[in-house]
Protein backbone atom coordinates (compact mmCIF):
# COMPACT_ATOMS: atom_id res chain seq x y z
CA UNK A 1 0.00 0.00 0.00
CA UNK A 2 1.28 3.45 -0.88
CA UNK A 3 2.41 5.66 1.97
CA UNK A 4 0.33 8.78 1.40
CA UNK A 5 0.22 11.87 3.57
CA UNK A 6 -1.54 15.22 3.34
CA UNK A 7 -0.30 18.52 4.71
CA UNK A 8 -2.12 21.83 5.05
CA UNK A 9 0.47 24.55 4.69
CA UNK A 10 0.54 28.04 6.06
CA UNK A 11 -1.05 30.62 3.75
CA UNK A 12 2.29 31.80 2.29
CA UNK A 13 3.42 28.30 1.32
CA UNK A 14 -0.08 27.49 0.02
CA UNK A 15 0.17 30.47 -2.33
CA UNK A 16 3.44 29.15 -3.76
CA UNK A 17 2.01 25.64 -4.16
CA UNK A 18 -1.11 27.04 -5.80
CA UNK A 19 1.07 28.80 -8.38
CA UNK A 20 2.87 25.52 -9.11
CA UNK A 21 -0.48 23.74 -9.39
CA UNK A 22 -1.76 26.40 -11.82
CA UNK A 23 1.36 25.89 -13.95
CA UNK A 24 0.64 22.14 -14.03
CA UNK A 25 -2.93 22.84 -15.11
CA UNK A 26 -1.76 25.21 -17.82
CA UNK A 27 0.56 22.47 -19.07
CA UNK A 28 -2.34 20.02 -19.11
CA UNK A 29 -4.51 22.46 -21.07
CA UNK A 30 -1.88 22.66 -23.80
CA UNK A 31 -2.11 18.91 -24.47
CA UNK A 32 -4.77 17.02 -26.45
CA UNK A 33 -7.89 16.04 -24.54
CA UNK A 34 -9.74 12.73 -24.28
CA UNK A 35 -13.42 13.56 -23.72
CA UNK A 36 -15.66 10.95 -22.05
CA UNK A 37 -18.76 13.16 -21.88
CA UNK A 38 -19.77 16.80 -21.84
CA UNK A 39 -19.99 16.70 -18.06
CA UNK A 40 -16.65 15.03 -17.46
CA UNK A 41 -13.40 15.69 -19.20
CA UNK A 42 -10.69 13.26 -18.21
CA UNK A 43 -7.11 14.28 -18.77
CA UNK A 44 -4.08 12.53 -17.42
CA UNK A 45 -0.85 14.37 -16.88
CA UNK A 46 2.17 13.06 -15.12
CA UNK A 47 3.63 14.82 -12.12
CA UNK A 48 7.30 14.03 -11.97
CA UNK A 49 8.77 13.41 -8.56
CA UNK A 50 12.44 13.22 -7.62
CA UNK A 51 15.31 13.53 -10.04
CA UNK A 52 16.77 11.43 -12.81
CA UNK A 53 19.91 9.54 -11.91
CA UNK A 54 21.97 7.87 -14.58
CA UNK A 55 19.07 7.67 -17.04
CA UNK A 56 16.59 6.20 -14.54
CA UNK A 57 13.02 7.28 -15.15
CA UNK A 58 11.32 9.47 -12.59
CA UNK A 59 8.31 8.35 -10.54
CA UNK A 60 5.04 9.54 -12.06
CA UNK A 61 1.60 10.05 -10.61
CA UNK A 62 -1.38 10.28 -12.98
CA UNK A 63 -3.60 13.32 -12.37
CA UNK A 64 -7.14 12.89 -13.68
CA UNK A 65 -9.34 15.95 -14.09
CA UNK A 66 -13.02 15.40 -13.31
CA UNK A 67 -13.71 19.13 -13.46
CA UNK A 68 -11.99 22.49 -13.48
CA UNK A 69 -9.75 21.72 -16.44
CA UNK A 70 -11.24 24.08 -19.01
CA UNK A 71 -12.97 26.51 -16.68
CA UNK A 72 -12.28 28.44 -13.53
CA UNK A 73 -15.01 26.74 -11.48
CA UNK A 74 -15.75 23.08 -10.75
CA UNK A 75 -12.37 22.05 -9.33
CA UNK A 76 -12.24 18.23 -9.04
CA UNK A 77 -8.98 16.34 -9.56
CA UNK A 78 -7.84 12.83 -8.73
CA UNK A 79 -4.34 11.62 -7.99
CA UNK A 80 -4.20 7.97 -9.10
CA UNK A 81 -1.80 6.06 -6.88
CA UNK A 82 0.46 3.10 -7.62
CA UNK A 83 -1.99 0.64 -6.02
CA UNK A 84 -4.71 2.03 -8.36
CA UNK A 85 -6.54 3.74 -5.50
CA UNK A 86 -7.21 7.44 -5.79
CA UNK A 87 -7.13 10.63 -3.77
CA UNK A 88 -9.74 13.18 -4.81
CA UNK A 89 -8.72 16.81 -4.44
CA UNK A 90 -11.77 19.07 -4.29
CA UNK A 91 -15.23 18.31 -5.63
CA UNK A 92 -16.66 21.63 -6.74
CA UNK A 93 -19.67 22.93 -8.62
CA UNK A 94 -19.35 24.69 -11.94
CA UNK A 95 -20.91 28.13 -12.11
CA UNK A 96 -21.91 30.75 -14.64
CA UNK A 97 -21.33 30.05 -18.33
CA UNK A 98 -19.34 26.91 -17.39
CA UNK A 99 -22.26 25.36 -15.50
CA UNK A 100 -23.17 21.74 -16.25
CA UNK A 101 -24.79 18.85 -14.42
CA UNK A 102 -23.35 18.33 -10.93
CA UNK A 103 -23.79 14.55 -11.17
CA UNK A 104 -20.72 12.43 -10.42
CA UNK A 105 -19.93 10.56 -13.63
CA UNK A 106 -16.73 8.84 -12.55
CA UNK A 107 -16.14 5.77 -10.33
CA UNK A 108 -15.72 6.45 -6.60
CA UNK A 109 -15.25 3.00 -5.01
CA UNK A 110 -11.44 3.17 -5.34
CA UNK A 111 -11.11 6.62 -3.70
CA UNK A 112 -9.22 6.56 -0.40
CA UNK A 113 -10.17 10.07 0.65
CA UNK A 114 -11.25 13.55 -0.38
CA UNK A 115 -9.00 16.51 0.37
CA UNK A 116 -10.70 19.91 0.27
CA UNK A 117 -8.29 22.75 -0.41
CA UNK A 118 -10.88 25.24 0.86
CA UNK A 119 -14.66 25.52 1.07
CA UNK A 120 -15.66 27.84 -1.74
CA UNK A 121 -18.61 26.28 -3.53
CA UNK A 122 -16.55 25.73 -6.70
CA UNK A 123 -14.27 23.43 -4.63
CA UNK A 124 -16.79 21.63 -2.38
CA UNK A 125 -20.27 22.09 -3.89
CA UNK A 126 -20.57 18.63 -5.47
CA UNK A 127 -19.88 16.92 -2.14
CA UNK A 128 -23.58 15.93 -1.68
CA UNK A 129 -23.50 14.32 -5.14
CA UNK A 130 -20.23 12.54 -4.31
CA UNK A 131 -21.83 11.02 -1.20
CA UNK A 132 -24.90 10.03 -3.22
CA UNK A 133 -22.56 8.26 -5.69
CA UNK A 134 -21.33 6.07 -2.81
CA UNK A 135 -18.22 7.84 -1.48
CA UNK A 136 -17.87 7.03 2.22
CA UNK A 137 -14.20 7.79 2.87
CA UNK A 138 -12.68 10.47 5.06
CA UNK A 139 -12.91 14.13 4.06
CA UNK A 140 -9.72 16.00 5.00
CA UNK A 141 -9.58 19.76 5.28
CA UNK A 142 -8.09 22.43 7.52
CA UNK A 143 -9.76 23.10 10.88
CA UNK A 144 -11.16 26.49 9.76
CA UNK A 145 -12.58 24.88 6.61
CA UNK A 146 -14.23 22.14 8.69
CA UNK A 147 -16.05 24.81 10.71
CA UNK A 148 -17.32 26.59 7.58
CA UNK A 149 -18.16 23.57 5.41
CA UNK A 150 -21.54 22.68 7.00
CA UNK A 151 -22.70 26.31 6.76
CA UNK A 152 -21.61 26.65 3.12
CA UNK A 153 -23.18 23.34 2.08
CA UNK A 154 -26.42 23.88 3.99
CA UNK A 155 -27.01 27.07 2.03
CA UNK A 156 -26.00 25.44 -1.28
CA UNK A 157 -28.23 22.40 -0.68
CA UNK A 158 -31.18 24.60 0.21
CA UNK A 159 -30.76 26.68 -2.97
CA UNK A 160 -29.74 23.97 -5.43
CA UNK A 161 -31.16 20.63 -4.24
CA UNK A 162 -33.99 20.77 -1.69
CA UNK A 163 -35.54 22.89 1.03
CA UNK A 164 -36.52 19.83 3.08
CA UNK A 165 -34.76 20.40 6.40
CA UNK A 166 -34.85 16.71 7.38
CA UNK A 167 -32.87 15.77 4.24
CA UNK A 168 -30.45 18.68 4.74
CA UNK A 169 -29.82 17.70 8.38
CA UNK A 170 -29.28 14.04 7.45
CA UNK A 171 -26.76 14.97 4.76
CA UNK A 172 -24.88 17.37 7.05
CA UNK A 173 -24.66 14.70 9.78
CA UNK A 174 -23.09 12.31 7.27
CA UNK A 175 -20.60 14.95 6.14
CA UNK A 176 -19.65 15.84 9.72
CA UNK A 177 -19.13 12.14 10.49
CA UNK A 178 -16.67 11.82 7.58
CA UNK A 179 -14.84 15.11 8.23
CA UNK A 180 -11.24 14.91 9.47
CA UNK A 181 -10.20 18.49 10.36
CA UNK A 182 -6.43 19.00 10.38
CA UNK A 183 -4.36 21.76 11.92
CA UNK A 184 -2.05 23.78 9.72
CA UNK A 185 1.57 22.59 9.41
CA UNK A 186 0.68 19.02 10.34
CA UNK A 187 1.29 15.86 8.28
CA UNK A 188 -1.55 13.36 8.21
CA UNK A 189 -1.16 9.84 6.89
CA UNK A 190 -4.06 8.78 4.69
CA UNK A 191 -4.74 5.10 5.28
CA UNK A 192 -7.93 4.80 3.33
CA UNK A 193 -11.59 4.63 4.15
CA UNK A 194 -12.55 4.74 7.79
Amino acid sequence: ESDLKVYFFSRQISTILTKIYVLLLEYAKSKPVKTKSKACVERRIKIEIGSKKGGESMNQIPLIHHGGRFQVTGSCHELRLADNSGLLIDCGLTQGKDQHSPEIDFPVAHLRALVLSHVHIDHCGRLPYLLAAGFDGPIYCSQPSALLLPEILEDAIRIGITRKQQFIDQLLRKIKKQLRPLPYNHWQKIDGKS
Side-chain angles (χ1 to χ4, degrees):
E1 186 173 295
S2 301
D3 188 24
L4 182 66
K5 295 182 181 180
V6 67
Y7 186 85
F8 286 95
F9 296 96
S10 66
R11 186 171 293 213
Q12 183 180 15
I13 295 173
S14 289
T15 302
I16 293 166
L17 290 175
T18 299
K19 289 178 183 177
I20 292 169
Y21 180 68
V22 166
L23 289 173
L24 283 170
L25 290 178
E26 288 301 314
Y27 169 78
K29 287 178 184 177
S30 71
K31 300 296 178 190
V33 162
K34 175 184 177 183
T35 304
K36 291 180 93 174
S37 70
K38 288 182 182 179
C40 176
V41 174
E42 180 179 302
R43 173 70 190 138
R44 294 173 185 260
I45 65 170
K46 302 291 184 178
I47 300 174
E48 296 181 345
I49 304 171
S51 60
K52 289 185 177 180
K53 295 179 181 176
E56 293 177 18
S57 62
M58 303 171 93
N59 293 327
Q60 297 181 341
I61 300 174
L63 179 62
I64 304 165
H65 301 284
H66 299 296
R69 182 172 186 281
F70 292 112
Q71 63 270 1
V72 176
T73 64
S75 179
C76 188
H77 312 282
E78 178 186 340
L79 289 175
R80 187 61 61 92
L81 306 172
D83 64 1
N84 220 23
S85 66
L87 175 68
L88 198 62
I89 302 169
D90 292 337
C91 195
L93 278 174
T94 53
Q95 299 171 298
K97 65 181 175 93
D98 300 325
Q99 193 166 4
H100 59 71
S101 171
E103 299 298 320
I104 301 299
D105 57 357
F106 54 90
V108 300
H110 69 286
L111 295 175
R112 280 194 196 182
L114 167 65
V115 176
L116 295 176
S117 61
H118 61 285
V119 292
H120 288 163
I121 205 70
D122 62 326
H123 290 259
C124 70
R126 282 200 296 170
L127 185 51
Y129 297 94
L130 184 68
L131 298 178
F135 176 75
D136 62 355
I139 302 167
Y140 293 99
C141 63
S142 67
Q143 290 171 331
S145 289
L147 292 173
L148 289 172
L149 183 64
E151 300 297 323
I152 298 293
L153 286 179
E154 180 173 7
D155 188 48
I157 294 165
R158 185 169 281 115
I159 292 169
I161 300 174
T162 184
R163 293 182 185 269
K164 294 180 181 177
Q165 194 61 46
Q166 182 179 357
F167 175 78
I168 294 170
D169 291 342
Q170 181 182 3
L171 188 56
L172 292 176
R173 278 192 302 274
K174 180 165 178 49
I175 290 169
K176 287 177 183 177
K177 184 178 176 184
Q178 290 175 240
L179 265 179
R180 303 294 186 272
L182 300 175
Y184 286 116
N185 302 315
H186 170 79
W187 284 100
Q188 174 66 45
K189 184 174 182 180
I190 297 178
D191 297 317
K193 294 181 180 182
S194 61

